[in-house]
């Protein structure tokens, strides 16, 4: 698959470095996949990835899903909302999302399972993008499982450290996914969609987790309305920054918006009921999606403009 047409590289050449044969100084000599020396074009490896890491990724994803079932209480574990004395319950802090918000994990885990299976396919094993993504994807699912066990063991500070590392890994994945796709719509759904939702949700969960740890440590200021508004604004700012940096990727914005919307709903009743918190979280939820949509549409218009300019420049005078 070629992402563009370049007459200079599409034409036959006697230069071994450009005809698909290794030659001194050519792309094959440099080991750069997807260059003119690779007949399949940008984004495709000349040699498929071996089986070891793809299979380990499947096993790691399976372990994360099992840990999630355990953390839900389905396999004998303590439900996350009840673990560690309920410090992560839906009413623990002003920035805790209502319980229904956590249903997004079902979508994320289904996406991770689909990704784990798809990355075994020949297309995925020849993808430069997937080769770069696979170790980070594995790290994300292992950190996910580690977070569940940290909470089960009542290591709340440990859970904050783990979710911070998980967030960093997911941010890295966002940059990796900027590489060319060769798997079409299916790859877009199981990678961009899954890891986008994963990033957006963890961005909100990180703040909820951090506030819960501080509250459990006796830092009472985090349980007040002013500090709750600060937390909501910062979480929204992270969502906006993600939208801007990623070129308006919609899945992360949707997941962040989902989490903030359930924070708003959670503040309509209970210990931390507050009209100010409801308003702040509701507005933040809308703003994150709006910024992502504007950024996305602006980027598409620029791409169309560049395409039109290129076509005009190629017209014979």
């Amino acid at each position: 698959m070629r992402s563009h047409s370049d007459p200079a590289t599409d034409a036959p050449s006697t230069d071994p470095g450009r005809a698909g044969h290794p030659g001194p100084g050519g792309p094959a000599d440099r080991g750069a996949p997807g260059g003119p020396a690779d007949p399949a074009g940008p984004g495709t490896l000349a040699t498929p990835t071996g089986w070891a890491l793809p299979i380990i990724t499947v096993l790691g994803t399976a372990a994360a899903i099992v840990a999630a079932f355990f953390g839900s209480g389905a396999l004998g574990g303590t439900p996350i909302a009840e673990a560690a004395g309920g410090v992560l319950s839906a009413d623990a802090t002003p920035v805790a999302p209502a319980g229904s918000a956590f249903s997004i994990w079902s979508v994320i885990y289904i996406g991770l399972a689909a990704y784990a299976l798809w990355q075994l396919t020949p297309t995925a094993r020849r993808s430069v993008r997937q080769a770069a993504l696979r170790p980070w994807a594995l790290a994300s699912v292992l950190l996910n499982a580690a977070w569940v066990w940290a909470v089960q063991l009542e290591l709340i500070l440990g859970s904050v450290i783990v979710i911070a590392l998980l967030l960093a890994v997911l941010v890295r994945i966002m940059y990796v996914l900027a590489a060319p796709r060769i798997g079409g719509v299916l790859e877009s759904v199981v990678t961009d969609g899954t890891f986008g939702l994963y990033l957006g949700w963890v961005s909100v969960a990180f703040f909820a987790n951090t506030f819960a740890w501080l509250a459990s440590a006796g830092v009472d200021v985090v349980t007040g309305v002013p500090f709750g508004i600060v937390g909501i604004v910062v979480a929204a700012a992270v969502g906006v920054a993600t939208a801007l940096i990623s070129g308006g990727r919609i899945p992360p914005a949707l997941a962040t918006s989902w989490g903030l919307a359930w924070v708003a709903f959670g503040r309509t009743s209970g210990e931390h009921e507050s009209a100010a918190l409801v308003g702040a979280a509701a507005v933040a939820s809308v703003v994150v999606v709006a910024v992502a949509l504007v950024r996305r549409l602006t980027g598409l218009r620029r791409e169309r403009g560049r395409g039109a300019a290129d076509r005009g420049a190629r017209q014979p005078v």
Side-chain angles (χ1 to χ4, degrees):
M1 171 181 173
R2 302 187 70 88
S3 61
H4 62 279
S5 177
D6 185 347
T9 57
D10 289 343
S13 172
T14 57
D15 182 349
R18 297 183 58 180
H21 303 288
D29 187 59
R30 294 194 301 270
D38 183 352
T44 305
L45 294 167
T47 303
T49 300
W51 283 106
L53 189 55
I55 291 175
I56 293 172
T57 300
V58 171
L59 296 176
T61 302
I65 293 174
V66 170
F69 272 104
F70 188 82
S72 71
L75 297 178
T78 305
I80 295 296
E82 300 174 12
V87 299
L88 293 171
S89 68
D91 201 34
T93 69
V95 298
S100 297
F102 296 89
S103 61
I104 195 174
W105 274 121
S106 298
V107 179
I108 293 171
Y109 284 128
I110 289 171
L112 288 172
Y115 160 75
L117 295 176
W118 182 81
Q119 57 95 34
L120 294 173
T121 65
T123 298
R125 291 178 55 237
R126 291 189 68 91
S127 169
V128 174
R129 188 180 194 237
Q130 292 301 318
L133 170 62
R134 204 170 275 112
W136 294 104
L138 176 60
S140 77
V141 295
L142 294 179
L143 285 169
N144 192 324
W147 182 86
V148 171
W149 283 106
V151 175
Q152 291 291 312
L153 296 172
E154 302 187 4
L155 302 174
I156 304 305
L157 175 57
S159 73
V160 172
I161 294 172
V162 171
I163 201 170
L165 292 172
L166 175 57
L167 181 57
V169 166
L170 292 171
V171 169
R172 175 57 185 162
I173 286 175
M174 179 183 71
Y175 283 96
V176 170
L177 293 181
R181 287 192 300 269
I182 66 170
V185 174
L186 182 57
E187 179 179 4
S188 180
V189 171
V190 300
T191 58
D192 301 72
T194 296
F195 288 101
L197 293 175
Y198 201 177
L199 170 60
W201 171 249
V202 169
S203 297
V204 175
F206 168 75
F207 288 97
N209 200 162
T210 301
F211 270 60
W213 164 61
L214 291 172
S216 68
V219 183
D220 294 333
V221 68
V222 301
T223 62
V225 170
F227 213 80
I229 292 175
V230 170
I232 289 169
V233 169
V234 175
V238 171
V240 167
T242 300
L244 294 175
I245 294 171
S246 69
R249 287 180 178 269
I250 302 302
L254 288 177
T256 298
S257 178
W258 167 271
L260 290 170
W262 282 106
V263 170
F265 183 80
R267 302 295 79 78
T268 59
S269 62
E271 181 179 350
H272 298 289
E273 179 179 351
S274 166
L277 290 170
V278 171
V283 170
S285 175
V286 173
V287 167
V288 171
V289 172
V291 170
L293 287 172
V294 170
R295 178 68 177 87
R296 183 69 171 176
L297 293 174
T298 300
L300 290 174
R301 281 197 296 269
R302 288 176 179 171
E303 288 179 9
R304 285 196 292 267
R306 284 195 296 267
D310 290 343
R311 287 192 296 272
R314 291 172 184 170
Q315 292 296 325
V317 178

